[in-house]
């Protein structure tokens, strides 16, 4: 029966990754068809290879699967091994650096190299005039940069920094190299509303970029404006 087929797989997965009930539910909600996979022919070889290749302990392996349950269905030979080998060679990564990148972004295991990873690496290197070491440092510190779309996310933010905040390209480059998360904050939810509040308060727009890590309350306190003003600006964007 279906129940007889599912129960052993659920028990195995829970035991293999030391999952609690909520974690198991989360995986099944994201990847319900994983119960169609064979333990012996697919899931166990995949997990064993990944754990061995990157030197992951159970907690690290569990975290990767919770972030990206789809990796349970990835082919080792057709997807994961080629991706890891390519990324390691392209960025000249030590084993620990590769492990850190995958731990931060398990999606790397399934990305298409030609259509996704390589174009983004070329764009980052060209747009910020990065040498290979600078590119590697940026991506090992923040591998989730590769999740962001160039045309819809990254380029609009850079234009905003230049045109709306009045920051020179060379300064943007220096800031991004020093603090890559600047590229990950939302343009519509964080940068644009904060600029609107800055202008209304007569403050220097550069404060928007200098205060990215501050909470909304901290940002408003710095400008001496009520939090409600920022909330209104966020609703208007």
């Amino acid at each position: 029966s279906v129940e007889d087929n599912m129960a052993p797989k659920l028990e195995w997965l829970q035991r293999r990754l030391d999952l609690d009930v909520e974690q198991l539910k989360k995986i099944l909600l994201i990847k319900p068809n994983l119960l169609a996979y064979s333990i012996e022919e697919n899931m166990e070889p995949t997990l064993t290879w990944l754990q061995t290749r990157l030197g992951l302990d159970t907690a690290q392996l569990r975290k990767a699967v919770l972030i990206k349950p789809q990796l349970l269905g990835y082919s080792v030979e057709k997807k994961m091994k080629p991706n890891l080998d390519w990324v390691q060679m392209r960025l000249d990564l030590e084993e620990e650096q590769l492990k850190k990148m995958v731990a931060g972004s398990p999606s790397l295991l399934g990305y298409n190299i030609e259509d996704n990873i390589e174009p983004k690496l070329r764009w980052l290197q060209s747009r910020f005039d990065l040498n290979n070491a600078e590119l590697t440092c940026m991506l090992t510190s923040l591998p989730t940069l590769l999740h962001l779309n160039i045309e819809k996310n990254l380029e609009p933010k850079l234009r905003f920094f230049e045109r709306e905040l009045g920051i020179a390209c060379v300064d943007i480059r220096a800031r991004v190299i020093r603090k890559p998360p600047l590229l990950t904050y939302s343009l519509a939810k964080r940068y644009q509303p904060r600029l609107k509040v800055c202008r209304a308060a007569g403050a220097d727009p550069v404060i928007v970029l200098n205060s990215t890590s501050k909470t909304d309350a901290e940002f408003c306190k710095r400008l001496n404006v009520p939090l409600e003003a920022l909330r209104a600006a966020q609703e208007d964007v």
Side-chain angles (χ1 to χ4, degrees):
S1 68
V2 174
E3 289 77 9
D4 290 340
N5 182 46
M6 286 175 56
K9 290 181 181 179
L10 294 175
E11 291 168 4
W12 174 86
L13 191 61
Q14 192 167 13
R15 186 173 62 253
R16 179 67 173 83
L17 295 173
D18 194 19
L19 301 167
D20 62 33
V21 173
E22 289 305 313
Q23 290 171 329
L24 184 62
K25 286 180 181 178
K26 178 183 177 182
I27 291 173
L28 291 173
L29 283 172
I30 297 173
K31 188 69 175 174
N33 66 333
L34 70 83
L35 293 176
Y37 298 150
S38 164
I39 294 174
E40 295 78 12
E41 295 178 10
N42 190 289
M43 290 193 285
E44 177 56 43
T46 295
L47 292 176
T48 298
W49 181 87
L50 187 60
Q51 193 164 18
T52 303
R53 175 67 178 83
L54 294 175
L56 304 176
D57 59 29
T58 300
Q60 292 167 326
L61 185 66
R62 177 175 63 247
K63 183 179 178 182
V65 173
L66 284 168
I67 293 173
K68 194 71 176 177
Q70 293 88 337
L71 68 82
L72 287 165
Y74 292 159
S75 164
V76 170
E77 294 302 323
K78 294 180 181 179
K79 180 61 68 174
M80 293 202 295
K81 185 178 185 301
N83 276 24
L84 288 185
D85 289 348
W86 186 91
V87 168
Q88 185 168 26
M89 183 177 295
R90 174 68 172 81
L91 296 176
D92 192 24
L93 300 174
E94 301 289 342
E95 291 296 327
E96 276 302 313
Q97 290 176 305
L98 182 65
K99 178 179 178 178
K100 182 180 178 182
M101 277 197 73
V102 174
S105 177
S107 296
L108 282 173
L109 296 165
Y111 279 157
N112 183 289
I113 293 170
E114 292 77 13
D115 296 338
N116 193 322
I117 303 179
E118 176 57 22
K120 286 178 181 174
L121 296 185
R122 285 200 306 268
W123 181 86
L124 286 168
Q125 202 153 17
S126 171
R127 191 68 170 80
F128 296 106
D129 190 26
L130 304 175
N131 59 36
N132 289 339
E134 288 169 332
L135 178 67
T136 296
C137 183
M138 181 180 288
L139 289 171
T140 51
S141 68
L142 192 65
T144 51
L145 271 180
L146 294 175
H147 297 186
L148 304 178
N149 183 279
I150 294 171
E151 293 78 15
K152 296 179 181 178
N153 193 306
L154 294 170
E155 278 291 4
K157 282 176 192 168
L158 295 178
R159 286 196 298 270
F160 175 85
F161 296 162
E162 293 170 14
R163 299 173 187 177
E164 302 297 330
L165 303 184
I167 301 175
C169 291
V170 65
D171 189 20
I172 292 172
R173 176 188 184 276
R175 287 170 179 267
V176 169
I177 289 176
R178 187 169 63 249
K179 191 177 179 182
L182 289 175
L183 296 174
T184 65
Y185 293 106
S186 169
L187 186 57
K189 295 180 181 179
R190 182 166 294 240
Y191 286 129
Q192 290 174 335
R194 289 188 175 194
L195 176 60
K196 186 173 182 179
V197 170
C198 267
R199 285 174 170 164
D204 185 348
V206 176
I207 291 174
V208 171
L209 210 56
N210 291 340
S211 306
T212 49
S213 60
K214 292 187 179 298
T215 65
D216 287 346
E218 290 169 340
F219 177 78
C220 290
K221 184 177 180 180
R222 178 175 181 179
L223 291 180
N224 197 26
V225 299
L227 181 59
E228 292 73 20
L230 181 56
R231 292 287 180 257
Q234 289 167 335
E235 290 176 7
D236 288 344
V237 173

